[in-house]
DNA sequence: GTCTATAGAAAGATAGAC
DNA sequence: GTCTATCTTTCTATAGAC
C-alpha cells in the first residue's frame, strides 16, 4: 500500500483548478490521506488537526467540519484500513519464510514509517485511539490469521504472531534499538521466519 | 516489585509529622515513586505533572523544583529502573519455560500495569520519552540478554526476544485484544516458552 | 466550500510569598 | 521546603464571514 498521491482520485472536472479546489469529495480524500500518513508517522496524540489540514491544503476548521472530530477522523483512517489477508500464503510450508521476509523488508518499503503497523503501534498508548484499535485488530488481523491457522489454540497462536510482529515493530521503528538498526535483512527475515513457524507448528 | 508505600523510608525523625512533611529526601522519593506508577499506567504523554504531584502529596511546582522538568523526572524513573538480569536462568535448557511462565503471569502479578514493560510500551510513542528509552533498553535489556545468549547473532537474537515480549505486552495490556484477554496462563506460558527457545536455539 | 478569528481547556514551567 | 498564582503555549472545536 504505497502512499497515495495528494492529487484527488477522479472528481468531476467541472470547475477550473483555482486556489480553492472547491471539490468536497476530493478535499475529503486529501484530508483522509494526509491523516493516515501523519497518524502512522507520529501516532494519534502527536499530530494535530492543524498539521493534517495543512498537509491536505486546507485549514483545521474544514477537517472538523468534514469529520466532526479528530477521533472520528482517526476512526475513518482505521476503517479505510489494513488487512493481513493478502499476506497469507496458500502454502502452509512457506508461511514463516514469506511473512518473515515481508516484515524484515518493511522499513525499506515504507521508510517513513507510514505502514499500518506504525499506525497501530504509535497510537496504541492513546486511550482514545486504543479503543478504536482493539476492534480493528481483532477483526482484520487476529481473526483472519486464526482462521488461516485453524485447529486448537488458533486464536492464541494468531495473537502471538501478531504480537511478535508488533513487538518487532516497536523495537525496530519506535525505540530504534541499536541491535536492529543496521541488521542484515536476510538474516532477520530468516530468523523471524523460524520463529513464526514455531508458533504455527508447535503441537 | 510492589509499589512502595508513600511513607518515607527512613528519614531522620527530628521533626513532627505536621501537615507539611518538610523532608526533602522523603518527598523526592515519594514523587519518584508516584511518577513511576503513573508513567507505567498511562505513558509519558498521558500523565501530567500535576497528577503525579497530587499522588505524592505535593504540588506541581515542587516536582519541577526537584527534577527540573517532566522529562528529567522520566529519566530518573528509568534510571531507577529495570533490568532483565534476574530473569536469566543459570540453566540454558529452562530458558523458555522460565521466562515464558514469568511473562505469562505478569498481569496477575501487577494487575494495574505498573511493571517496567508497561512503562516502556506506553511511552515508546513519545518523541521525548522514546529518546531516553532507547539507551536504557540497549543497556539493560538487550545487552545483558545478548551476553547471556552468546555466539553468532547474539544481539539480533536478544533483540528478537525483547521484541517478542514487548509485542505480547502491546497486544495483551495495551490493545487488550480479545484472543489474549481470558487466555489460559499455562497454555500461553508454554507456547511462549517454545517460541523463545526457538529464537535462542536456531542454528 | 472554505476561511478567519476565537473560545475554552489543559499542560509545562516559573516567580515569589510564607 | 512548600505553596499560590500566573505566564505561555498548544490544542480541539466552533461561530460566523465570504
Amino acid at each position: 500500500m504505497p502512499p497515495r498521491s495528494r492529487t484527488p482520485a477522479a472528481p468531476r472536472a467541472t470547475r477550473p483548478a483555482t486556489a480553492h479546489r472547491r471539490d468536497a469529495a476530493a478535499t475529503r480524500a486529501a484530508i483522509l490521506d494526509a491523516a493516515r500518513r501523519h497518524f502512522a508517522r507520529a501516532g494519534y496524540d502527536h499530530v494535530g488537526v492543524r498539521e493534517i489540514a495543512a498537509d491536505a491544503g486546507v485549514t483545521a476548521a474544514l477537517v472538523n467540519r468534514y469529520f466532526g472530530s479528530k477521533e472520528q477522523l482517526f476512526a475513518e483512517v482505521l476503517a479505510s484500513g489494513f488487512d493481513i489477508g493478502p499476506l497469507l500464503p496458500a502454502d502452509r510450508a512457506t508461511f514463516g519464510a514469506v511473512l518473515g521476509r515481508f516484515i524484515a523488508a518493511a522499513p525499506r518499503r515504507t521508510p517513513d514509517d507510514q505502514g499500518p503497523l506504525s499506525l497501530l503501534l504509535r497510537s496504541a498508548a492513546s486511550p482514545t485511539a486504543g479503543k478504536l484499535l482493539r476492534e480493528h485488530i481483532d477483526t482484520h488481523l487476529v481473526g483472519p490469521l486464526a482462521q488461516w491457522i485453524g485447529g486448537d489454540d488458533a486464536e492464541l497462536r494468531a495473537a502471538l504472531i501478531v504480537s511478535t510482529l508488533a513487538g518487532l515493530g516497536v523495537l525496530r521503528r519506535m525505540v530504534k534499538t541499536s541491535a536492529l538498526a543496521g541488521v542484515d535483512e536476510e538474516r532477520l527475515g530468516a530468523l523471524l521466519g523460524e520463529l513464526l513457524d514455531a508458533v504455527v507448528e508447535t503441537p
Side-chain angles (χ1 to χ4, degrees), chain A residues 40 78 82 115-125 133 137 141 162 166:
Chain A
L78 275 188
F82 52 100
L117 191 59
S118 297
L119 179 68
L120 189 168
L121 295 173
R122 294 208 146 81
S123 300
L133 273 171
I137 288 173
L141 292 177
V162 173

Side-chain angles (χ1 to χ4, degrees), chain A residues 56-143:
Chain A
V58 298
T59 60
L62 205 60
V63 173
N64 280 322
R65 180 164 184 83
Y66 277 7
F67 294 89
S69 69
K70 183 184 173 182
E71 183 173 350
Q72 285 175 271
L73 173 59
F74 184 77
E76 293 226 22
V77 168
L78 275 188
S80 77
F82 52 100
D83 212 313
I84 203 176
L87 286 178
L88 298 179
D91 185 4
R92 188 159 307 240
T94 63
F95 173 73
V98 168
L99 194 51
R101 256 203 299 273
F102 181 83
I103 294 292
R108 189 163 43 75
R109 276 198 313 276
T110 56
D112 294 337
D113 283 2
Q114 296 175 4
L117 191 59
S118 297
L119 179 68
L120 189 168
L121 295 173
R122 294 208 146 81
S123 300
S126 167
T128 319
K131 208 174 42 182
L132 298 168
L133 273 171
R134 184 174 331 151
E135 192 194 313
H136 232 79
I137 288 173
D138 284 344
T139 313
H140 291 83
L141 292 177
V142 177

Side-chain angles (χ1 to χ4, degrees), chain A residues 96 160-161 164-165 189-200 202:
Chain A
L160 270 181
I161 287 176
T164 298
L165 305 186
L191 213 44
L192 188 58
E194 306 253 14
L195 192 150
L196 293 173
D197 282 333
V199 180
V200 176
T202 298

Side-chain angles (χ1 to χ4, degrees), chain A residues 38-47 70 74 118-119 122-123:
Chain A
H38 281 280
F39 282 141
R41 175 186 55 79
Y44 183 81
D45 293 316
H46 298 99
V47 51
K70 183 184 173 182
F74 184 77
S118 297
L119 179 68
R122 294 208 146 81
S123 300

Side-chain angles (χ1 to χ4, degrees), chain A residues 3-4 6 30 32-42 55 114:
Chain A
R4 260 177 285 162
R6 201 168 313 159
L32 201 59
D33 187 54
R36 188 179 49 74
R37 272 180 288 120
H38 281 280
F39 282 141
R41 175 186 55 79
D55 198 6
Q114 296 175 4

